[in-house]
């Protein structure tokens, strides 16, 4: 208002009188190029003597908590005031971590991750649980594949990776993961991951901490699934989820991606042609175990127990399970086959195995026929000698 009146040629004294403000205020407003703002002049505070020490600690350890810094520098005043000052200084002293623009060549990389849909899925025992979904996005084409899995164990992660790679029809030269415990931690892969990568002739690359940009393609897809796939859907079982998710991915892969200005399905052939071929022999994946079958004729896979033909009690059996089926073999012969359950702590019994165990139990408990009471009795010393072999082998007489 002051600037508008001054622009119309109204004298400053008249402006001050009309608006009820001082003439000095009018003069400053006309000379200023921004609205008036109160700014407190810099002056020493109780934090000022400690600021050099705080800056040094933050420069050496940027994430040190404010309470620890206060203890190190000997602060005895208000911790809230101290935290405010540390919060002001911390961004200035944090190391710079620039992010480069990444260029993804065809066939070079596929980014892998676990997505947890924000809706519980019904399981076989009537309970509901939040289950992980293995998702893989080809970095060049942005083509997406995914499948819900029962656990985050290495066996299930490697199983799902192999099934999704088979769905792609070729092997990306790099499978990029973050520090998922089922894939590996530190410098070591989890057991079985290196062998899996060796059979496929690919590289399982685990990113260093604080490097989200290198896996940003698949991370952004996780948010896309929650906003475009999940709303308004319900799922009766994990199989129902996988069916709906697979159908939706066909539609999503045919949509134009803004960053590449193309449809993933249209770029998939170029991506796939630069990938490695599928191995001639599939990798050994899944839950594999060799145990001696005990009197309790059940074997455990994950956290559930599955019955086995009790005829092989006491013998070694080979247990193999994938995402859908559990099989037990003895010397190559199938002695148990079950549908794998995803609920935890269940006992799965085949009625034929229970009936066979009942028959064997009754046979074991049936009384045996009594032996001849006179059999084996020693009537005299000659019988005693014959019983212990003290007889001449030529004449048959007692020695």
């Amino acid at each position: 208002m002051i600037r508008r009146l001054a622009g119309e040629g109204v004298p400053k004294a008249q402006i001050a009188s009309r608006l009820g403000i001082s003439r000095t205020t009018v003069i400053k407003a006309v000379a200023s190029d921004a609205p008036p703002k109160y700014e407190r002049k810099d002056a020493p505070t109780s934090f000022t003597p400690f600021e050099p020490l705080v800056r040094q600690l933050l420069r050496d350890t940027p994430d040190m908590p404010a309470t620890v810094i206060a203890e190190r520098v000997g602060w005895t005043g208000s911790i809230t005031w101290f935290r405010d000052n540390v919060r002001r200084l911390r961004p200035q002293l944090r190391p710079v971590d620039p992010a480069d623009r990444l260029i993804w060549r065809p066939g070079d990389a596929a980014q892998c991750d676990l997505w947890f849909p924000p809706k519980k899925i019904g399981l076989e025992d009537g309970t509901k649980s939040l289950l992980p979904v293995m998702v893989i996005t080809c970095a060049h084409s942005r083509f997406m594949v995914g499948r819900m899995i029962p656990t985050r164990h290495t066996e299930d992660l490697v199983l799902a990776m192999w099934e999704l790679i088979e769905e792609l029809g070729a092997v990306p030269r790099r499978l990029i993961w973050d520090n998922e415990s089922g894939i590996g931690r530190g410098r070591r892969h989890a057991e079985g991951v290196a062998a899996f990568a060796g059979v496929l002739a690919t590289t399982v690359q685990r990113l260093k901490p604080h490097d989200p940009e290198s896996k940003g393609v698949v991370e952004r897809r996780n948010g896309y699934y929650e906003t475009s796939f999940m709303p308004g859907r319900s799922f009766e079982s994990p199989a129902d989820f996988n069916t709906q998710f697979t159908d939706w991915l066909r539609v999503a892969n045919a949509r134009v991606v803004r960053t590449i200005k193309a449809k993933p399905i249209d770029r998939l052939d170029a991506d796939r042609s630069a990938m490695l071929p599928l191995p001639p022999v599939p990798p050994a994946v899944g839950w594999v175990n060799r145990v001696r079958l005990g009197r309790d004729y059940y074997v455990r896979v994950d956290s559930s127990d599955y019955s086995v033909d009790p005829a092989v009690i006491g013998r070694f059996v080979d247990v193999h399970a994938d995402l859908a089926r559990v099989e037990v073999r003895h010397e190559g012969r199938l002695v148990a086959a079950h549908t794998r359950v995803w609920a935890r702590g269940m006992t799965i019994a085949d009625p034929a195995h229970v009936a066979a165990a009942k028959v064997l139990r009754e046979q074991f408990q049936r009384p045996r026929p009594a032996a001849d009471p006179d059999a084996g009795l020693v009537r005299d010393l000659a019988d005693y000698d014959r019983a212990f072999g003290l007889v001449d082998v030529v004449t048959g007489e007692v020695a």
Side-chain angles (χ1 to χ4, degrees):
M1 178 65 70
I2 295 173
R3 294 171 64 84
R4 183 178 67 80
L5 293 174
E8 294 175 354
V10 179
K12 296 181 176 62
Q14 189 175 346
I15 295 174
S17 177
R18 182 183 301 183
L19 299 180
I21 57 178
S22 72
R23 187 176 165 186
T24 305
T25 302
V26 175
I27 295 172
K28 289 182 178 179
V30 172
S32 174
D33 58 355
K37 180 183 177 182
Y38 172 75
E39 293 183 358
R40 184 176 181 179
K41 295 182 179 179
D42 292 336
T45 66
S46 58
F47 182 78
T48 303
F50 297 90
E51 186 169 336
L53 296 175
V54 173
R55 285 181 175 274
Q56 183 61 43
L57 290 174
L58 288 176
R59 192 175 291 109
D60 297 338
T61 312
D63 296 324
M64 182 179 293
T67 52
V68 178
I69 297 176
E71 181 182 355
R72 298 282 177 86
V73 301
W75 175 264
T76 58
S78 169
I79 191 62
T80 302
W81 169 243
F82 189 84
R83 282 198 181 101
D84 291 341
N85 282 277
V86 171
R87 190 180 301 112
R88 172 177 57 85
L89 296 176
R90 199 184 294 275
Q92 304 174 15
L93 302 171
R94 191 178 298 276
V96 178
D97 182 21
D100 292 330
R101 295 291 181 93
L102 301 178
I103 298 175
W104 302 103
R105 297 188 303 273
D108 174 53
Q111 298 182 10
C112 310
D113 198 14
L114 290 182
W115 167 51
F116 288 85
K119 184 171 290 188
K120 293 186 176 182
I121 308 297
L123 301 179
E124 296 86 355
D125 60 352
T127 61
K128 292 187 176 183
S129 178
L130 291 174
L131 296 175
V133 178
M134 164 84 75
V135 289
I136 296 179
T137 302
C138 298
H140 173 73
S141 64
R142 304 302 200 269
F143 190 83
M144 304 169 288
V145 290
R147 184 157 306 172
M148 180 169 280
I149 57 177
T151 71
R152 298 170 66 178
H153 293 307
T154 302
E155 293 82 357
D156 287 334
L157 293 179
V158 174
L159 266 169
M161 266 199 296
W162 170 239
E163 291 187 4
L164 295 178
I165 288 173
E166 281 188 305
E167 187 175 336
L168 287 175
V171 183
R173 297 178 182 274
R174 287 188 298 156
L175 297 171
I176 300 177
W177 277 90
D178 54 17
N179 281 290
E180 177 65 36
S181 59
I183 299 299
R185 285 290 177 88
R187 298 182 179 180
R188 292 181 176 272
H189 288 315
E191 185 176 357
V193 174
F196 171 78
V199 173
L200 271 61
T202 187
T203 299
V204 176
Q205 179 181 352
R206 290 182 289 110
L207 300 176
K208 296 179 180 179
H210 313 298
D211 188 16
E213 293 84 8
S214 297
K215 204 165 66 70
V217 172
V218 70
E219 295 284 359
R220 285 191 292 273
R221 267 62 190 171
N222 291 348
Y224 177 47
Y225 301 146
E226 294 191 10
T227 58
S228 296
F229 170 70
M230 290 299 295
R233 292 182 183 268
S234 60
F235 311 101
E236 297 179 356
S237 65
D240 182 32
F241 178 95
N242 282 331
T243 299
Q244 294 190 45
F245 192 48
T246 302
D247 293 342
W248 179 83
L249 284 175
R250 293 193 187 98
V251 177
N253 283 321
R255 294 173 179 167
V256 175
V257 178
R258 179 181 56 83
T259 53
I260 61 175
K261 298 179 176 60
K263 300 176 182 179
I265 190 66
D266 294 340
R267 300 182 61 166
L268 179 60
D269 288 340
D271 214 354
R272 186 186 288 146
S273 62
M275 294 181 184
L276 302 169
L278 293 174
V281 178
V285 294
W287 297 77
V288 180
N289 194 15
R290 182 177 175 85
V291 297
R292 188 187 296 274
L293 189 64
R295 289 182 57 205
D296 179 15
Y297 50 96
Y298 287 80
V299 294
R300 176 160 293 186
V301 174
D302 189 14
S303 64
S304 295
D305 297 327
Y306 300 83
S307 66
V308 182
D309 186 351
V312 294
I313 287 176
R315 304 175 187 178
F316 282 102
V317 295
D318 298 302
V319 185
H320 183 271
D322 56 23
L323 296 177
R325 187 173 172 83
V326 176
E327 292 185 350
V328 184
R329 297 179 181 273
H330 170 65
E331 296 181 351
R333 179 172 63 90
L334 186 66
V335 292
H338 300 273
T339 300
R340 183 179 172 184
V341 296
W342 289 22
R344 302 189 64 79
M346 292 191 67
T347 298
I348 311 302
D350 188 331
H353 298 161
V354 177
K358 181 179 179 181
V359 172
L360 292 174
R361 191 178 303 108
E362 291 175 349
Q363 292 177 354
F364 180 82
Q365 295 175 349
R366 188 176 304 152
R368 299 180 182 179
D372 183 358
D374 294 335
L377 294 180
V378 179
R379 290 184 170 83
D380 53 24
L381 291 178
D383 290 338
Y384 179 86
D385 293 335
R386 292 189 182 91
F388 283 89
L390 302 177
V391 180
D392 190 292
V393 296
V394 178
T395 63
E397 296 181 353
V398 177

